[in-house]
Amino acid sequence: GNLYGVTSGGAEFGNEAGTVYALAPRAGATQWSHTTLHTFCEGCEDGDTPVGSLVLDVEGNLFGVTEYGGPVRKSIEDGGTAFELMRGPHPMNWRLRRIHAFCPDECPTDGRNPVGGLTYQGAASGVPYDGVGPLYGVTENGGGGGTYGGGTVFVMSPKPGSPRWSEKLLHSFCSPDTCADGQTPEGRLVLDSAGEVFGT
């Protein structure tokens, strides 16, 4: 009966980079206890400013995205990250692993600044995430749709027998305002039983 979520700002010690938290019911669910599972730091390689919905897998691990942060190297703006927060043996012992760093600045091969969180096939019908299937999401910037890119739809898949993940773009939106397919996607995607992807 626990609830999991993110804050995109605020944290301990005056840090403004956000947190992942859990709410656990107690006293017959009339009261709830709050636990901070992870604190992000501003501009850190693991990510900065978590946004959107989290995905909970069958092992109790959490998957999500940060809009900013990542390994910035000679770039103007960092591109954000996707992460896995792995449950440890103790309720306070969680370990974060970055599974993808989105491209900083503007690069046509990847998106930048993911929003809306992640999803998977079966999420809409309440099927638990198995931890090995692909995860889908959107970025509000980047991609190959023009000089600056109008955002992307992407899919990430874990590599069998490895902690690494692969990521590829399913679609790049066009950056000019006159493009017919839209730009700057936001919100969580929905997948149907046939694997078709829907978003805005």
Side-chain angles (χ1 to χ4, degrees), residues 12-31:
E12 300 170 344
F13 314 116
N15 195 317
E16 297 297 326
T19 67
V20 179
Y21 66 88
L23 291 175
R26 57 188 176 92
T30 60
Q31 298 177 352

Side-chain angles (χ1 to χ4, degrees), residues 63-191:
F63 296 82
V65 296
T66 67
E67 190 170 5
Y68 305 107
V72 180
R73 294 184 179 90
K74 297 181 180 179
S75 61
I76 298 172
E77 183 179 357
D78 42 6
T81 68
F83 64 86
E84 177 184 9
L85 195 58
M86 295 173 284
R87 181 187 296 273
H90 187 273
M92 294 294 291
N93 184 15
W94 291 70
R95 183 169 62 91
L96 185 132
R97 178 175 65 185
R98 189 186 71 220
I99 59 177
H100 183 70
F102 292 89
C103 187
D105 299 331
E106 301 298 339
C107 69
T109 59
D110 197 6
R112 177 167 59 86
N113 308 123
V115 291
L118 299 169
T119 192
Y120 56 95
Q121 190 170 8
S125 59
V127 176
Y129 177 54
D130 60 10
V132 297
L135 293 172
Y136 298 79
V138 300
T139 67
E140 62 183 356
N141 297 304
T147 303
Y148 296 104
T152 70
V153 179
F154 66 87
V155 60
M156 299 189 308
S157 302
K159 295 184 177 180
S162 169
R164 296 181 177 274
W165 288 61
S166 63
E167 185 253 12
K168 69 175 182 178
L169 300 187
L170 300 179
H171 181 72
S172 290
F173 292 93
C174 189
S175 57
D177 291 337
T178 56
C179 287
D181 67 343
Q183 70 180 92
T184 317
E186 295 183 357
R188 196 180 193 192
L189 297 170
V190 174
L191 277 76

